[in-house]
Amino acid sequence: MSTETRRPIVIGQIASLTGSNYMGLENIAGAELAVRQLNDSGGVLGRRVDLNVKDDGSQPQSAIDAYGRLADQPTVGIIGTSFSNASLAVVPYTDKRRLLYVSTGAAHTQVYPVRPYVFMTPPPGHLVAEQLLRFLHGNGVTEIAVVIDSDSTFNREAWAAQKAILGRYGIAAAAVEHVKVDTEDFGPVVRRITHSAAQALMAWVTGPPATGLARAFRAARLSMPMVVGIGAASPGFVDSVGRVADGIFVATSLASVGSDLPESAARRAIEDLTTPFRRRHGALPSQFAVDGYIAAELIAAAVQAAGTEDRDVVRDAMETLTRVTAAGRYAFSPNDHSGLHLDDVAIAVIRDGRFRLTPWSATKLGEHLRQTH
């Protein structure tokens, strides 16, 4: 057996092991499961797959440094950080280093416009923004209040994309409130929303601001619905808010509502992820774990399709890759490095501490799964 055959295929990963980005460990848990399953099924190109993780410290410059260190090693591709501020900082460096970068951050400006070596796994922010407007419009909402975490690049960009198409769905913003990642008192924001003409709260918040806003919103006993972007698609959000989380609507990937999907290739892919993940971690995977898992799966599929570790050949294979996963059907092309469809974004409602598919989304997804899966 040659040295080349014995040497493992290495997938790099940039994730937050330290700092404020709590999603990093969840990213790693997902990627580790994917790599374990790959090795259990014979590896890639007949070789073992290893995962080489570097800490970004929840800082953009540290993410750039980590990408550089991984690029200097025999790495076939890199799973990018879920922290969009840091992931966006890495993007410009991919042109020079020419190493596949599959981000788990959700900011759509990572791939719009297309950059040759950059792909992403989460539903991009502009798709999430539009699907949420479709949902609100379908439920008769014409005026919304919007709360944005202005420290988050993803949330700022998702709101900008949503704001640009409000008129398409006959919706206006009756109030727009900006909060910071360290905001603790959300009472004043909620009181101002109460005095607006809004029929629903659209919340572009992640992490502690999402928890704080949800608790304050429930404490105010407002009758309007609260709708949250994909940054809250985590069991951690549900647990931190507690029982009052029930009834909050959240944009999620398909993986969060797998048990409510009809029989399909996507549902089978979800079960392949969620069953062993729950057995190992005692909980269903968050959006961040799903993204880490899928990024590893996609990189491995591109290497297998390429038949080589050559970085440019692997990149080319990724750009033509089509694969059904736990998040839906990715169909990458030279003009689309996000790969997902609008209806691969599910709208869930929290019930009894779980994400359950809304009837509105069930109708959309049923047709979409029959057509594309």
Side-chain angles (χ1 to χ4, degrees), residues 46 49 59 74-75 86 126 131-132 160-161 175 245 252 277 297 300 325 359 370:
V49 179
Q59 296 294 327
T75 308
H126 74 291
Q131 188 74 318
L132 286 167
T252 76
F277 190 95
E297 180 183 12
T325 75
R370 285 192 299 272

Side-chain angles (χ1 to χ4, degrees), residues 140-227:
V141 173
T142 58
E143 293 197 77
I144 57 173
V146 184
V147 178
I148 311 143
D149 175 5
S150 57
D151 285 329
S152 164
T153 301
F154 164 70
N155 287 307
R156 291 199 310 270
E157 292 185 351
W159 163 238
Q162 191 176 59
K163 181 180 179 181
I165 60 172
L166 285 174
R168 187 185 305 173
Y169 293 94
I171 295 175
V176 179
E177 298 284 342
H178 294 266
V179 299
K180 307 288 282 183
V181 71
D182 59 355
T183 298
E184 295 183 356
D185 183 6
F186 290 88
V189 169
V190 171
R191 284 192 291 274
R192 287 192 291 272
I193 290 170
T194 302
H195 296 299
S196 75
Q199 300 161 292
L201 170 60
M202 176 67 248
W204 290 108
V205 286
T206 307
T211 300
L213 178 61
R215 287 175 174 170
F217 179 82
R218 284 299 193 223
R221 299 184 181 278
L222 300 182
S223 59
M224 70 177 73
M226 179 176 179
V227 180

Side-chain angles (χ1 to χ4, degrees), residues 17-69:
L17 301 175
T18 56
S20 61
N21 179 29
Y22 73 94
M23 297 87 91
L25 295 176
E26 298 177 29
N27 269 159
I28 294 169
E32 286 177 340
L33 174 58
V35 167
R36 187 179 312 113
Q37 290 178 335
L38 285 166
N39 288 328
D40 288 346
S41 62
V44 174
L45 302 180
R47 293 157 57 189
R48 176 181 172 79
V49 179
D50 282 353
L51 188 66
N52 184 5
V53 180
K54 302 295 183 187
D55 181 18
D56 66 18
S58 303
Q59 296 294 327
Q61 185 58 53
S62 296
I64 294 168
D65 295 342
Y67 178 80
R69 291 198 302 276

